[in-house]
Amino acid sequence: MPKDDKYRDILKRYWGYDDFRGIQRDIIESIGAGHDTLGLMPTGGGKSITFQVPALAQEGVCIVITPLIALMKDQVAGLRRRNIRAAALYAGLSHDDIIQTLENAIFGAVKLLYVSPERLASELFQKKLSHMKVCFICVDEAHCISQWGYDFRPSYLQISAIRRLLPGVPVLALTATATPDVVLDIQDKLSADGRSFSVFRMSFERQNLTYVVRQAADKRDQLLHILRSVKGPAIVYARSRQRTKEVAQMLCDEGLSATHFHAGLDNAEKDMRQRAWQNDETRIMVATNAFGMGIDKPDVRLVIHVDCPDSLEAYFQEAGRAGRDGRRSYAVLLVNGSDEQKLMKRIDDNFPEKDYIRTVYDHLAYFYQIGVGSGYNAIFEFPIEKFCRIYHHFPIRVEAALKILTRAGYIEYTEEEESRARLRFALERDELYRLKGNTAVEDKMIVTLLRNYSGLFSDFVYIDEAFLAQQLDLKLHEVYLTLKSLADKRVAHFIPQKKTPYVRYTQRREDSEHLLFTPAVYDDLKRRFTERIQAMLAYATDDHECRSRQLLRYFGEVSDHDCGHCDVCLQHGSEPAPKDELAEAKQLIVRLLADGLQHPVSDLQQLPLPYAFIESALHWLVDEEQIVYDQGLLALKNFKR
């Protein structure tokens, strides 16, 4: 190892690795030299190393912008375990905590400061930022800044304003999913002073990941067969929150270990379910697309989509969470005749007619009693279910209309901003000590609150229900019920944690007839969304071209070879089945027959490998007399009639 290799010294010291892999060093040296840099790396490519290592090699703090609270918490905890000074700012922190963290960053006590993109617009943050010595800005999930991308987030546009506050400070943009158009748009949105980006691209090919599209008239049965056939941790992606709950319950009823996850759960519940899955206490996570980004679990063997995503970008990122340890893993997309209709309906749901958007705008004004010419900068909580009930709307279309109105600049719609639980004692301290009639749990709760929080007698104080659960050895819902019981007894005033959407009028209310929706706000985005839907449908129905080549071409990468192990390759015999695939197929067949019963040959079609592998393995097992084939039925050799 060269003596002056500071980056590799840092890598070895803090992470224990001997050297970098892929394009990590190229990215690190580029941002270390002060160049604006864009890194395109697939899921599992080691993105975090590319900004954490150069941050430690330079003076000042690295600002890491990411929309994912789970990623912030995980990475900050991991860095602190390595004795690296890291901190995070996200919704739910108290004002005092935010001030302390920002002051620590100013005085050099923080090396990596993670912030949400929404935080960038804060006057407090911008004021404190001007006093920090910043070595570089890292923009994670950089595709979110592009309106042409599948996951555009308007808050990411604040990054360009931050660049103006920090002239000369370079930016590192990282993403795992970007088409050629989005790559150009990222550079355009983040550029400063006419400087060009150094772009480094890692191949998106995942040789250990087998892509399978399975036509499934009955997705439930297919899902069960696949999960029972392939062992190891699994993620099942579903379209809606309700569907995640239903699928997880069905799997549990069938004797499988499963839980569900979606954005509507409170943070404590999310953390608990995520930890159970990561620690292998729960095998299967049934989730919406809210789950997965920033989750470090390399041994996921199986990712199944029971509903088609809106785009190949989303599918590729979610499927890519399987097999990050390099071992053989499977990404299975279950499709049937109804999927095309459902996908096409999403176009209308996401881009309702302009007259409908105008109607929602009017109903919003009626709801808040905002007259034409008034309402500027007014902020309201938005109870969407009540709004839809009064004006006979569907929530999906209302949310789409509000997002389009936000892009057009008439309002600002914030989805489910979280407010932490708060509590204030209703009794004086002496009265509290003389209190009788509480349960043992309630008394312990009062003592724990007094020991860990100050100011509870004078004002509402933010409390952490997950922390209280840990201190009292209770489940989260038991903490909630105990606090509610204290409130019912008028011992305390308790405001539970909740997630509330907000609407802010960014200009005075217009007459809806005068609302303008430019092509950039509506028509162009609808066309791009439609193109992504069509690309997803093409992938789901094309059984002539290698799945891997289809995905790589979509992301602008030309491959000169088939993968050899997706369902299309095996169906057309592109390459002979590799030994490890045959071994896996043999194991799957034996597991299927391990119940000691006879099975029809048709059951083999539900195993998660391409049928060409299954057929080869079947011939081998029959030839070796390990299984018996008789009149269309299969059984293990020792099967007894």
Side-chain angles (χ1 to χ4, degrees):
M1 181 187 301
K3 290 183 179 180
D4 60 349
D5 194 343
K6 60 180 179 181
Y7 297 129
R8 195 156 58 172
D9 288 343
I10 291 169
L11 182 71
K12 180 67 174 178
R13 175 182 173 187
Y14 289 102
W15 285 271
Y17 300 135
D18 291 324
D19 209 346
F20 299 101
R21 57 190 174 96
I23 59 173
Q24 285 178 331
R25 176 178 281 280
D26 295 329
I27 293 173
I28 289 168
E29 290 181 344
S30 176
I31 191 65
H35 303 307
D36 285 348
T37 305
L38 173 58
L40 298 138
M41 306 173 74
T43 302
K47 285 193 297 177
S48 59
I49 290 289
T50 65
F51 62 85
Q52 290 170 352
V53 167
L56 292 173
Q58 300 182 55
E59 291 185 14
V61 60
C62 171
I63 306 294
V64 184
I65 300 166
T66 175
L68 308 165
I69 291 177
L71 181 142
M72 289 187 195
K73 290 181 176 179
D74 285 351
Q75 292 206 1
V76 167
L79 289 166
R80 287 177 174 174
R81 285 194 296 271
R82 292 184 166 89
N83 295 318
I84 297 170
R85 302 187 305 275
L89 298 175
Y90 48 85
L93 290 176
S94 70
H95 182 73
D96 288 345
D97 288 339
I98 293 169
I99 292 288
Q100 182 178 353
T101 300
L102 290 170
E103 292 289 343
N104 286 342
I106 290 171
F107 292 111
V110 175
K111 198 63 188 164
L112 291 113
L113 178 61
Y114 289 76
V115 299
S116 64
E118 292 79 12
R119 180 70 53 188
L120 305 179
S122 159
E123 183 179 346
L124 172 63
F125 177 79
Q126 292 188 10
K127 182 179 179 181
K128 296 293 185 183
L129 183 66
S130 65
H131 297 288
M132 291 182 201
K133 180 176 177 56
V134 178
C135 54
F136 65 92
I137 303 166
C138 175
V139 182
D140 200 13
E141 310 298 339
H143 57 271
C144 294
I145 203 170
S146 172
Q147 292 195 66
W148 311 133
Y150 77 104
D151 193 21
F152 170 62
R153 305 192 184 202
S155 56
Y156 261 66
L157 297 175
Q158 295 289 338
I159 298 171
S160 59
I162 295 302
R163 293 216 71 182
R164 289 194 292 273
L165 290 175
L166 299 171
V169 173
V171 67
L172 169 60
L174 298 168
T175 180
T177 44
T179 61
D181 285 347
V182 171
V183 169
L184 294 174
D185 201 30
I186 291 171
Q187 295 174 72
D188 180 61
K189 294 290 193 300
L190 289 177
S191 64
D193 303 325
R195 291 186 297 180
S196 61
F197 273 73
S198 299
V199 181
F200 300 94
R201 181 189 295 272
M202 186 175 176
S203 174
F204 283 9
E205 184 176 11
R206 294 285 305 280
Q207 295 180 353
N208 68 307
L209 188 54
T210 295
Y211 296 102
V212 178
V213 175
R214 177 65 54 79
Q215 293 292 329
D218 188 334
K219 291 188 179 184
R220 176 186 178 279
D221 285 351
Q222 287 277 12
L223 179 63
L224 287 168
H225 272 282
I226 294 169
L227 287 167
R228 285 170 175 160
S229 301
V230 176
K231 304 303 179 186
I235 305 173
V236 176
Y237 280 108
R239 177 66 184 169
S240 69
R241 297 177 180 183
Q242 182 62 27
R243 189 147 158 77
T244 65
K245 185 177 180 180
E246 292 169 353
V247 172
Q249 185 60 56
M250 180 273 292
L251 295 176
C252 290
D253 292 343
E254 292 290 334
L256 296 171
S257 171
T259 189
H260 71 283
F261 186 105
H262 56 70
L265 299 172
D266 64 56
N267 284 337
E269 189 69 20
K270 288 179 187 175
D271 289 345
M272 184 174 66
R273 295 183 185 198
Q274 180 182 310
R275 279 197 304 271
W277 179 76
Q278 286 190 287
N279 296 335
D280 296 322
E281 297 164 13
T282 302
R283 180 194 164 209
I284 304 161
M285 180 64 80
V286 185
T288 62
N289 59 7
F291 179 79
M293 284 193 286
I295 304 304
D296 184 18
K297 187 168 177 62
D299 62 341
V300 177
R301 297 275 72 85
L302 183 63
V303 172
I304 304 174
H305 282 79
V306 292
D307 299 311
C308 273
D310 288 339
S311 67
L312 283 176
E313 291 99 321
Y315 179 72
F316 184 77
Q317 186 168 65
E318 290 158 14
R321 287 163 194 150
R324 291 174 59 178
D325 57 3
R327 294 178 54 199
R328 177 58 55 196
S329 303
Y330 304 93
V332 183
L333 174 63
L334 299 180
V335 296
N336 60 27
S338 67
D339 283 308
E340 180 175 0
Q341 180 182 356
K342 290 176 181 177
L343 280 176
M344 296 308 292
K345 183 177 182 298
R346 289 181 203 170
I347 299 172
D348 291 332
D349 284 342
N350 281 274
F351 292 90
E353 294 296 323
K354 293 177 184 178
D355 283 343
Y356 176 82
I357 300 170
R358 293 185 173 95
T359 299
V360 169
Y361 182 77
D362 282 337
H363 287 170
L364 197 68
Y366 304 156
F367 190 65
Y368 295 123
Q369 298 184 346
I370 302 292
V372 173
S374 62
Y376 172 67
N377 216 28
I379 301 175
F380 304 96
E381 286 191 11
F382 183 62
I384 187 169
E385 286 157 358
K386 180 180 179 181
F387 178 85
C388 291
R389 186 170 63 252
I390 292 173
Y391 297 106
H392 310 293
H393 293 301
F394 289 104
I396 290 175
R397 289 171 66 81
V398 166
E399 285 205 332
L402 294 177
K403 289 176 182 178
I404 293 167
L405 287 165
T406 296
R407 287 199 295 269
Y410 296 109
I411 65 167
E412 181 181 88
Y413 172 60
T414 305
E415 297 178 77
E416 297 194 330
E417 187 167 301
E418 184 156 3
S419 60
R420 291 168 62 191
R422 288 175 287 166
L423 182 135
R424 175 171 68 84
F425 281 122
L427 303 177
E428 295 297 330
R429 187 182 294 271
D430 291 343
E431 294 176 295
L432 196 63
Y433 288 147
R434 294 196 299 267
L435 197 63
K436 294 181 180 179
N438 287 336
T439 66
V441 172
E442 289 169 349
D443 282 336
K444 287 181 181 178
M445 176 66 75
I446 291 170
V447 171
T448 303
L449 286 166
L450 290 171
R451 283 177 178 171
N452 291 281
Y453 298 98
S454 60
L456 288 165
F457 294 98
S458 58
D459 201 355
F460 278 99
V461 173
Y462 288 108
I463 60 173
D464 186 334
E465 292 174 69
F467 171 76
L468 293 171
Q470 183 181 26
Q471 292 289 304
L472 293 164
D473 195 24
L474 296 175
K475 296 188 184 314
L476 273 171
H477 73 273
E478 293 172 331
V479 169
Y480 170 79
L481 291 174
T482 304
L483 293 170
K484 189 173 184 302
S485 176
L486 290 173
D488 291 341
K489 292 179 177 181
R490 304 195 178 186
V491 174
H493 301 291
F494 172 52
I495 302 174
Q497 176 175 286
K498 66 175 181 176
K499 296 190 172 186
T500 308
Y502 285 87
V503 167
R504 179 172 74 90
Y505 278 80
T506 53
Q507 57 178 269
R508 291 176 298 176
R509 180 194 164 193
E510 291 271 1
D511 187 319
S512 62
E513 291 182 1
H514 299 152
L515 297 183
L516 295 176
F517 303 105
T518 64
V521 164
Y522 186 91
D523 298 298
D524 292 347
L525 292 180
K526 182 176 182 179
R527 175 175 55 81
R528 297 268 185 161
F529 186 80
T530 302
E531 289 171 355
R532 289 198 293 273
I533 292 284
Q534 291 169 340
M536 188 72 237
L537 283 170
Y539 175 83
T541 56
D542 185 346
D543 59 359
H544 294 92
E545 184 183 15
C546 166
R547 300 285 176 202
S548 180
R549 291 183 80 161
Q550 290 184 55
L551 291 169
L552 293 175
R553 186 179 65 252
Y554 183 78
F555 291 108
E557 183 176 341
V558 178
S559 175
D560 60 359
H561 62 276
D562 291 342
C563 73
H565 47 76
C566 70
D567 60 308
V568 175
C569 285
L570 293 167
Q571 178 184 345
H572 295 292
S574 296
E575 291 183 16
K579 290 182 180 179
D580 60 339
E581 297 282 14
L582 281 175
E584 179 74 12
K586 293 172 192 175
Q587 290 178 6
L588 292 176
I589 295 172
V590 170
R591 285 176 191 158
L592 176 68
L593 304 178
D595 58 8
L597 303 175
Q598 289 181 304
H599 286 257
V601 175
S602 59
D603 278 4
L604 299 182
Q605 295 178 353
Q606 299 176 14
L607 297 176
L609 279 176
Y611 195 71
F613 285 175
I614 300 296
E615 194 171 37
S616 297
L618 175 62
H619 288 310
W620 188 92
L621 291 168
V622 171
D623 291 342
E624 294 296 317
E625 298 185 352
Q626 293 187 23
I627 62 175
V628 176
Y629 175 71
D630 183 25
Q631 297 182 351
L633 296 174
L634 299 170
L636 291 178
K637 178 69 173 178
N638 58 359
F639 170 75
K640 295 181 180 179
R641 295 180 185 278

